[in-house]
């Protein structure tokens, strides 16, 4: 905090870590011999999270780490993604039959080798041994929703499924005060570093499905299915205006972000009597805003006998699938079906001094 003075013969680590996992299930079955069957399943996730690590303006921190053994494990701002287990066994991930593509290749065609359909995706922050001072912030957000509705009757069947996940996430690591990894540059070790890093990973899976059946004359089956994802993600690593940083080795300011989003929505509407109608609509949408920045502010002083690295990276893998079947089997009947996929991605990735 402002006015604090901390000096360590070893290393100093200021770290904030947040890991959120949200899994929602919603389902309804409405079958009746009466006139009307109405069923709806809704899952809503609203996540607002703020993860910050900082050395405040007016604070002075020294991590001299003179000995080679004075190391501490600090996050680098990058993440490693792994896939483990069989989702059909643990139930935490969708496992459809066959090999369903979820990612795109460089030529824009769907790739069939994305393992996230048949295994559980895990994200882990990368760590490195640091001698000196490290300020790190890391976050992981996983939001999954599985929503389904079945309805059947002789006249009117109206069924719907809706999944609405929303995530607003800030991950921020900063230095605004005085940070030294050495007292004497002339006698400093090339391994005495200052690291400021922020890393975030966002993973979202949404699956919605409906089945509506009307068997009587003049009946109707209406079956909408909607999955709509919203994410506003900010990942920042920075040395602020007026701050002072000195290292016998390297000064690293790094921000890294990754997103993996899969959306599938489907529906079936069927009618069997004369004058009946089947209406099906599947809609999936994504509105993603991601800001990833690493910077050194105006009037900051950075002194390093080694290298100075200011780096920002942001990686996104996104897939949306919408499909449906509308069936009317009588001679005088009608069927209408529609599938809509909407994607809006607004990304800013910047590294600057």
């Amino acid at each position: 905090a402002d006015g604090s003075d901390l000096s360590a013969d070893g290393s100093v680590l200021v770290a904030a870590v947040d890991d959120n996992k949200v899994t929602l299930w919603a389902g309804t079955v409405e079958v009746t011999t009466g006139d009307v069957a109405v069923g709806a399943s809704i899952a809503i996730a609203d996540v607002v999270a703020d993860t910050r690590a900082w050395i405040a303006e007016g604070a002075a921190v020294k991590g001299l780490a003179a000995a080679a053994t004075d190391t501490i494990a600090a996050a680098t701002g990058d993440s490693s993604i792994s896939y483990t287990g069989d989702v059909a066994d643990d139930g935490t991930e969708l496992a459809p039959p066959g090999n369903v593509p979820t990612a795109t290749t460089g030529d824009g065609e769907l790739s069939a080798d994305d393992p996230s359909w048949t295994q559980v995706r895990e994200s882990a922050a990368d760590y490195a041994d640091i001698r000196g001072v490290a300020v790190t912030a890391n976050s992981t957000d996983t939001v999954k929703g599985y929503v389904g509705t079945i309805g059947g009757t002789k006249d009117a069947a109206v069924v719907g499924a809706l999944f609405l996940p929303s995530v607003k996430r800030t991950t921020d690591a900063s230095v605004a005060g005085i940070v030294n990894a050495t007292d004497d540059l002339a006698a400093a070790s090339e391994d005495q570093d200052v690291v400021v890093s922020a890393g975030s990973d966002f993973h979202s899976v949404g699956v919605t499905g409906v089945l509506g059946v009307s068997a009587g004359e003049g009946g109707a089956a209406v079956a909408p299915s909607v999955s709509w994802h919203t994410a506003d993600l900010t990942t920042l690593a920075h040395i602020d205006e007026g701050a002072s940083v000195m290292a016998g080795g390297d000064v690293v300011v790094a921000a890294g972000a990754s997103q993996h989003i899969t959306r599938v929505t489907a529906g079936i509407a069927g009618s069997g009597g004369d004058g009946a109608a089947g209406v099906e609509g599947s809609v999936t949408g994504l509105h993603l805003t991601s800001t990833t920045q690493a910077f050194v502010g105006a009037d900051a002083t950075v002194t390093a006998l080694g290298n100075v690295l200011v780096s920002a990276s942001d990686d996104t893998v996104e897939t949306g699938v919408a499909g449906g079947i509308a069936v009317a089997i009588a001679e005088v009947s009608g069927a209408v079906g529609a599938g809509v996929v909407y994607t809006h991605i607004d990304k800013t990735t910047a590294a600057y001094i």
Side-chain angles (χ1 to χ4, degrees), residues 75-79 135-139 170-174 195-201 233-239 251-259 290-296 309-315 347-352:
T76 65
D78 295 325
S79 298
V135 181
T136 66
N138 286 85
S139 65
T170 298
T171 308
D172 189 316
S174 66
V195 175
V196 183
S197 71
S200 66
D201 179 73
L233 313 174
T234 301
T235 307
L236 304 174
H238 46 110
I239 296 174
V251 174
V252 177
V253 183
S258 58
Q259 306 93 39
S290 179
T291 300
T292 307
Q293 294 184 341
F295 62 89
V296 176
L309 172 66
V310 181
S311 171
S313 64
D314 192 348
D315 180 62
K347 296 174 65 173
T348 300
T349 307
Y352 61 92

Side-chain angles (χ1 to χ4, degrees), residues 159-231:
V159 294
L162 175 65
F163 178 46
L164 293 176
S166 174
V167 175
K168 182 176 178 60
R169 152 69 69 186
T170 298
T171 308
D172 189 316
S174 66
V175 168
I178 300 172
V179 175
N180 294 333
T182 181
D183 262 340
D184 184 0
L185 285 175
S189 165
E190 64 181 10
D191 295 325
Q192 292 171 311
D193 301 330
V194 175
V195 175
V196 183
S197 71
S200 66
D201 179 73
F202 173 66
H203 178 42
S204 180
V205 177
V207 180
T208 59
V210 292
L211 170 62
V213 178
S214 171
E217 294 184 2
V222 180
S225 177
V226 178
S227 177
W228 198 275
H229 301 231
T230 303

Side-chain angles (χ1 to χ4, degrees), residues 43-346:
I44 299 174
D46 186 10
V47 178
V48 179
D50 194 346
T51 303
R52 299 178 187 266
W54 71 93
I55 294 176
E57 182 180 2
V61 176
K62 294 180 182 179
L64 302 180
T69 56
D70 292 335
T71 62
I72 194 166
T76 65
D78 295 325
S79 298
S80 294
I81 307 301
S82 61
Y83 294 88
T84 59
D86 187 338
V87 294
D89 294 336
D90 63 26
T92 61
E93 191 77 81
L94 179 67
N99 195 1
V100 179
T102 64
T104 58
T105 61
D107 58 8
E109 295 182 357
L110 286 174
S111 169
D113 59 1
D114 187 341
S116 63
W117 283 103
T118 57
Q119 294 179 303
V120 178
R121 181 183 183 274
E122 297 289 347
S123 173
D126 292 341
Y127 283 79
D129 288 335
I130 301 297
R131 283 177 62 187
V133 180
V135 181
T136 66
N138 286 85
S139 65
T140 303
D141 295 288
T142 302
V143 180
K144 303 175 183 178
Y146 306 95
V147 183
T149 304
I150 298 174
T153 183
K154 66 178 182 178
D155 287 336
V158 181
V159 294
L162 175 65
F163 178 46
L164 293 176
S166 174
V167 175
K168 182 176 178 60
R169 152 69 69 186
T170 298
T171 308
D172 189 316
S174 66
V175 168
I178 300 172
V179 175
N180 294 333
T182 181
D183 262 340
D184 184 0
L185 285 175
S189 165
E190 64 181 10
D191 295 325
Q192 292 171 311
D193 301 330
V194 175
V195 175
V196 183
S197 71
S200 66
D201 179 73
F202 173 66
H203 178 42
S204 180
V205 177
V207 180
T208 59
V210 292
L211 170 62
V213 178
S214 171
E217 294 184 2
V222 180
S225 177
V226 178
S227 177
W228 198 275
H229 301 231
T230 303
D232 185 354
L233 313 174
T234 301
T235 307
L236 304 174
H238 46 110
I239 296 174
D240 288 340
E241 178 179 356
S244 176
V245 174
M246 182 169 66
D250 301 333
V251 174
V252 177
V253 183
S258 58
Q259 306 93 39
H260 189 287
I261 302 159
T262 302
R263 303 164 289 135
V264 177
T265 182
I268 299 175
S271 59
D274 287 337
V279 180
E280 186 282 330
S282 297
V283 178
T284 180
L286 169 65
H287 193 286
L288 169 65
T289 302
S290 179
T291 300
T292 307
Q293 294 184 341
F295 62 89
V296 176
D299 297 322
T301 301
V302 177
T303 305
L305 295 185
N307 300 312
V308 175
L309 172 66
V310 181
S311 171
S313 64
D314 192 348
D315 180 62
T316 302
V317 177
E318 187 278 330
T319 299
V321 179
I325 300 174
V327 179
I329 59 176
E331 292 184 1
V332 183
S333 59
V336 177
V340 178
V341 178
Y342 169 82
T343 300
H344 174 85
I345 298 177
D346 183 1

